[in-house]
Amino acid sequence: MLSLAVAVTALQDAFIKDLSQSYPVHQMQTFRAGAALALIFGWIAANGGLTLLLRTRPSGLLLLRAAILSLASLSFYISLAAMEFADAVAIYFSMPLMVAALSRLVIGERVPPWRWTAVGVGFIGVVIVQHPGVGVFEPASLLVLFATLCYALGLMLTRPVGMRVNSAVMSFWQLVGFLVTGLLLSLVFGSGAFHDAAHPSLSYLTGGWITPTLLDAGKLLGFGALAALASILYTAGYKVAAPSFVAPFEYSALIWASLWGYVMWGDIPGVSTLGGAALIVAAGLWMIAREARQKSGIRDQ
């Protein structure tokens, strides 16, 4: 289920990148979030959760999580306008390492030495993917790092929020955050008055609202269906097995990113992308394995 969720997400991201040359990010986010929100709302109602949704008063922590994840989503998609798909996904793989590094600061959890080792190795992998100093550094890669940091913070807030809020309700408010940010950016940049084409990512952010063709409108709304499907699959995948077992399957995203990058734009991952991604994945898997052994030892005692 998680592998299917990753495949669906990668397909959605690839099509969003493909349309980034035609429509601004705020328009994509508004269509995508609106369609996904309608589908999730219908799913909640069909499963008898409408009363729970209407009675749940959103806490500050729930809204903060939604805002942080909305910022992460926008930053990642803005970066895709200027980067090869596989490069962006490879940098995103550092997210579990960021969670490990931020554990003490955000939730007061002690960070053992092996986590810092994994974080250090993963950071080296990120630097290799970005390949600075060889004349091809892409500033948009810093946006991916920022998006990854926001995702890490949002995921860390999921646990304290999830102790008080149903997962479906949490997903609903997350999509509300996506929709609100899309609408706010549309109010600022929708007229096209502030459009700046100096860089692909900047152009994608500041472009004016464009009336979509019927086919493109269907695609934009289809992104919402894919987002809703992926959300359900992710939730199901993490429910039926231990996170430490399921999480490594997220690394299959690089396979899909490489495939769609080649099929849609003829991109072939370079040596730096593959080498850096290998370091990041190895560090993440080693950290997960080390954590599992540590927990096993504690249970045995």
Side-chain angles (χ1 to χ4, degrees):
M1 284 185 286
L2 192 76
S3 295
L4 183 57
V6 170
V8 169
T9 301
L11 180 62
Q12 172 200 233
D13 293 348
F15 278 119
I16 287 175
K17 174 177 171 60
D18 192 51
L19 283 183
S20 67
Q21 306 300 317
S22 305
Y23 301 96
V25 68
H26 51 81
Q27 186 170 353
M28 177 280 298
Q29 193 78 329
T30 300
F31 272 82
R32 170 178 169 265
L37 192 60
L39 290 171
I40 289 292
F41 183 83
W43 182 53
I44 292 174
N47 285 277
L50 192 56
T51 301
L52 177 63
L53 174 64
L54 296 176
R55 287 181 178 177
T56 301
R57 185 175 181 180
S59 64
L61 205 58
L62 175 63
L63 296 178
L64 176 63
R65 176 183 178 274
I68 290 174
L69 289 176
S70 298
L71 195 57
S73 175
L74 283 171
S75 301
F76 183 76
Y77 288 129
I78 290 171
S79 73
L80 283 182
M83 292 186 67
E84 290 190 7
F85 194 17
D87 285 4
V89 171
I91 294 173
Y92 170 75
F93 282 168
S94 63
M95 186 268 293
L97 304 173
M98 287 191 179
V99 170
L102 292 168
S103 293
R104 185 167 186 95
L105 178 64
V106 178
I107 59 177
E109 181 181 341
R110 188 181 71 85
V111 182
W114 64 81
R115 284 193 199 170
W116 286 117
T117 301
V119 169
V121 173
F123 178 75
I124 293 172
V126 169
V127 172
I128 291 174
V129 173
Q130 290 180 308
H131 35 64
V134 295
V136 289
F137 173 70
E138 172 53 63
S141 62
L142 298 178
L143 274 175
V144 184
L145 271 178
F146 177 71
T148 305
L149 174 63
C150 289
Y151 274 124
L153 290 171
L155 289 177
M156 294 183 76
L157 290 175
T158 298
R159 187 172 183 181
V161 172
M163 293 175 69
R164 302 177 179 87
V165 181
N166 177 275
S167 58
V169 174
M170 197 158 46
S171 295
F172 175 84
W173 282 103
Q174 179 180 322
L175 289 169
V176 169
F178 289 169
L179 181 60
V180 169
T181 52
L183 290 173
L184 288 176
L185 286 175
S186 293
L187 287 175
V188 177
F189 299 115
S191 67
F194 301 104
H195 183 228
D196 189 339
H199 186 273
S201 291
L202 188 60
S203 179
Y204 190 34
L205 171 64
T206 60
W209 190 278
I210 298 171
T211 301
T213 64
L214 189 61
L215 177 60
D216 286 350
K219 290 179 180 178
L220 290 167
L221 292 173
F223 296 156
L226 290 175
L229 176 61
S231 176
I232 293 170
L233 288 169
Y234 274 117
T235 301
Y238 276 103
K239 271 188 175 181
V240 300
S244 60
F245 172 79
V246 177
F249 287 91
E250 293 216 28
Y251 289 128
S252 63
L254 186 60
I255 299 173
W256 293 109
S258 300
L259 174 64
W260 297 129
Y262 178 74
V263 170
M264 300 181 72
W265 308 287
D267 296 338
I268 299 176
V271 175
S272 60
T273 300
L274 295 176
L279 273 180
I280 296 169
V281 170
L285 292 177
W286 179 79
M287 183 182 67
I288 291 170
R290 187 68 176 79
E291 295 283 342
R293 287 199 300 271
Q294 179 73 7
K295 290 178 181 178
S296 178
I298 292 173
R299 285 196 298 268
D300 292 342
Q301 291 174 8

